[in-house]
């Protein structure tokens, strides 16, 4: 891929041939927590990579990436839950304020009357 902000550099290798597929399946139903997934990929860097790089990716790089992805998903879920809770709290507060305002208006209407009934 080419991008005007990321020109090709002589000292860096840019992969030209890359493909990946991610399949995700919930353990039970989509609305419940838990899933299994399969990520398969192919990339052709255009040269033979040293075994040490291939080993690092397989043993450390990919598992670390997946752990980071999982952590990010958990943080996103917590953030979204907090946003929903905050919105619900805000709606409750506004409803309570409106209710109090209406009650105060009704009270004021009743107490400002110049007539006294016995």
């Amino acid at each position: 891929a080419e991008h005007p902000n990321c020109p090709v550099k002589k000292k860096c290798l840019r992969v030209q041939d890359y493909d990946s597929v991610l399949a995700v399946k919930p353990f039970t139903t989509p609305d419940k927590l838990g899933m299994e997934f399969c990520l398969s990929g192919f990339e052709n860097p255009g040269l033979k990579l040293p075994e040490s790089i291939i080993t690092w990716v397989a043993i450390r790089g990919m598992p670390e990436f997946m752990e980071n992805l999982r952590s990010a998903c958990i943080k996103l879920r917590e953030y979204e839950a907090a946003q929903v809770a905050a919105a619900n709290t805000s709606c409750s507060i506004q409803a309570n304020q409106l209710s109090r305002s209406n009650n105060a208006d009704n009270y004021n209407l009743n107490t400002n009357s110049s007539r006294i009934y016995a």
Side-chain angles (χ1 to χ4, degrees), residues 2-115:
E2 295 192 23
H3 191 280
N5 293 339
C6 300
V8 176
K9 298 177 183 176
K10 290 181 181 180
K11 293 183 178 182
C12 296
L13 177 71
R14 183 171 290 182
V15 173
Q16 296 294 323
D17 191 8
Y18 173 82
D19 189 32
S20 70
V21 176
L22 174 64
V24 180
K25 176 184 163 189
F27 283 134
T28 54
T29 60
D31 60 326
K32 301 282 192 241
L33 297 178
M35 67 174 181
E36 57 185 313
F37 63 91
C38 177
L39 174 64
S40 62
F42 165 81
E43 63 184 60
N44 180 3
L47 56 88
K48 183 171 172 47
L49 294 173
E51 280 298 314
S52 60
I53 292 177
I54 294 170
T55 301
W56 179 86
V57 168
I59 292 174
R60 182 159 180 206
M62 187 56 71
E64 190 173 293
F65 168 78
M66 297 309 292
E67 287 173 12
N68 290 340
L69 179 60
R70 180 178 182 271
S71 294
C73 289
I74 290 169
K75 286 178 184 176
L76 177 61
R77 186 183 307 137
E78 291 169 351
Y79 172 79
E80 288 174 344
Q83 294 296 313
V84 168
N88 289 341
T89 301
S90 176
C91 289
S92 291
I93 290 170
Q94 289 173 355
N96 286 339
Q97 289 171 343
L98 180 60
S99 176
R100 287 183 190 145
S101 174
N102 287 341
N103 288 341
D105 289 344
N106 289 339
Y107 177 76
N108 289 336
L109 286 174
N110 293 333
T111 57
N112 288 337
S113 176
S114 61
R115 297 183 184 168

